[in-house]
């Protein structure tokens, strides 16, 4: 039973790898020491109580599902789109948990573009289908909050994976994208210095201006360059059109940019 509880917790929090874009290489995984837990998790919830032992031997109540063989759940994974291999890896993990636990109706859905209205429609449809829990990679910080409020009012548990909205949740699990971005910046600086390059323009590309994970990653990247002689360009956003990135990189190359921060999604 303990193993099944842990698997169900994985199902309801998902286990997320680095940065929400697929890649053919294995990135460095930078995870927070503890999952981010919202205020909701501090409130008792029938059937969802368990005790977690923290460093130092103290104990804390957390919202871990206490599933029984007769419990049945409907769980939706709703991502920013359905095309990125990164989301497929999360879907694979969810399917493994479903097969291991049983008694779960699981569906993966999402919009065909990074659009708040389209993702809100997916959330609304999941609630209408009787979802007990939604694992959500939010397209933006505030753009889907109205639908999340409706979901919560219907008794649906909200769990964020990779990218959080500002609406409250049971828990959120993701890469520490600020640290990931800073690591990327420090790695680039070291690589450039190894070639004798200590100044120059760095191009920065992003996916969208509203996605929390992307914003945090860029902030961390910019932090790494503070106090250096490099200059960071204004961010250019892909906005579901890889051509925006291609043209920006080509323009930067013509101006002898020293390096580029490019989302993996633009390289697929």
């Amino acid at each position: 039973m303990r193993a099944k509880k842990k698997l169900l917790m994985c199902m309801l929090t998902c286990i997320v790898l680095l940065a929400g874009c697929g890649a053919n290489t294995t990135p460095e995984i930078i995870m927070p020491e503890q999952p981010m837990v919202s205020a909701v998790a501090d409130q008792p919830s029938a059937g969802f109580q368990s005790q977690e032992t923290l460093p130092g031997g103290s104990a804390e109540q957390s919202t871990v599902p206490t599933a029984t063989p007769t419990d049945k759940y409907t769980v939706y994974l709703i991502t920013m789109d359905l095309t990125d291999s990164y989301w497929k890896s999360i879907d694979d993990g969810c399917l493994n948990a479903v097969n291991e636990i049983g008694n779960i109706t699981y569906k993966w859905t999402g919009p065909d573009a990074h659009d708040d209205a389209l993702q809100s429609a997916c959330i609304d449809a999941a609630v209408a289908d009787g979802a007990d829990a939604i694992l959500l990679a939010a397209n933006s910080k505030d753009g889907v909050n109205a639908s999340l409020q409706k979901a919560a009012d219907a008794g649906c548990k909200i769990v964020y994976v990779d990218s959080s909205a500002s609406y409250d949740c049971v828990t959120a699990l993701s890469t520490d994208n600020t640290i990931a971005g800073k690591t990327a910046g420090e790695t680039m600086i070291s690589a450039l210095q190894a070639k004798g390059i200590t100044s120059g323009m760095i191009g920065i590309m992003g996916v969208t201006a509203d996605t929390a994970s992307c914003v945090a990653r860029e902030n961390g990247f910019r932090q790494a360059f503070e106090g250096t002689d490099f200059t960071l360009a204004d961010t250019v956003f892909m906005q579901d059109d890889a051509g925006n990135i291609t043209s920006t990189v080509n323009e930067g190359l013509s101006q002898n940019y020293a390096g580029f921060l490019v989302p993996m999604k633009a390289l697929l």
Side-chain angles (χ1 to χ4, degrees):
M1 180 61 72
R2 172 183 257 178
K4 287 193 174 183
K5 287 181 182 178
K6 291 181 72 175
L7 284 165
L8 185 54
M9 190 58 180
C10 289
M11 179 69 193
L12 296 181
T13 58
C14 245
I15 296 180
V16 183
L17 303 180
L18 174 65
C21 295
N24 294 323
T25 58
T26 302
E28 180 181 1
I29 301 171
I30 304 171
M31 296 292 291
E33 292 183 1
Q34 298 288 340
M36 297 177 290
V37 181
S38 77
V40 171
D42 294 330
Q43 300 173 5
S45 176
F48 278 74
Q49 283 288 328
S50 77
Q51 193 174 68
E52 179 180 1
T53 301
L54 301 178
S58 62
E60 179 179 66
Q61 293 293 327
S62 61
T63 53
V64 179
T66 54
T68 69
T70 58
D71 289 333
K72 293 185 178 180
Y73 301 96
T74 298
V75 178
Y76 270 77
L77 170 65
I78 301 178
T79 52
M80 299 179 193
D81 59 54
L82 297 176
T83 59
D84 199 314
S85 60
Y86 175 69
W87 307 129
K88 182 62 173 67
S89 69
I90 296 178
D91 174 55
D92 289 342
C94 291
L95 288 171
N96 288 339
V98 168
N99 292 334
E100 200 57 47
I101 299 164
N103 297 326
I104 293 177
T105 299
Y106 167 74
K107 299 178 182 180
W108 173 29
T109 187
D112 55 10
H114 288 211
D115 182 271
D116 290 341
L118 294 177
Q119 191 175 57
S120 291
C122 292
I123 296 170
D124 294 342
V127 174
D129 192 39
D132 297 294
I134 293 176
L135 316 178
L136 177 68
N139 185 63
S140 68
K141 181 179 178 181
D142 303 312
V144 298
N145 282 1
S147 289
L148 292 177
Q149 176 69 65
K150 294 176 185 176
D153 290 345
C156 185
K157 305 297 183 182
I158 307 299
V159 173
Y160 295 126
V161 294
D162 182 73
S163 183
S164 301
S166 58
Y167 189 81
D168 209 358
C169 65
V170 172
T171 192
L173 183 61
S174 70
T175 305
D176 187 327
N177 283 287
T178 301
I179 293 178
K182 189 173 182 180
T183 299
E186 292 169 346
T187 301
M188 179 180 288
I189 292 170
S190 295
L192 291 171
Q193 289 176 340
K195 294 184 177 182
I197 302 172
T198 58
S199 64
M201 183 69 76
I202 305 295
I204 298 182
M205 292 81 185
V207 179
T208 70
D210 299 323
T211 305
S213 57
C214 296
V215 172
R217 201 174 309 130
E218 179 189 330
N219 288 340
F221 185 81
R222 290 183 178 276
Q223 288 175 19
F225 283 86
E226 293 176 359
T228 71
D229 292 326
F230 291 98
T231 301
L232 301 183
D234 292 337
T235 306
V236 175
F237 295 102
M238 183 173 142
Q239 301 290 9
D240 288 316
D241 183 358
N244 292 336
I245 302 298
T246 301
S247 60
T248 301
V249 170
N250 288 335
E251 181 179 351
L253 289 173
S254 70
Q255 299 178 30
N256 296 317
Y257 276 28
F260 300 89
L261 175 67
V262 181
M264 292 180 185
K265 188 178 182 69
L267 305 177
L268 299 177

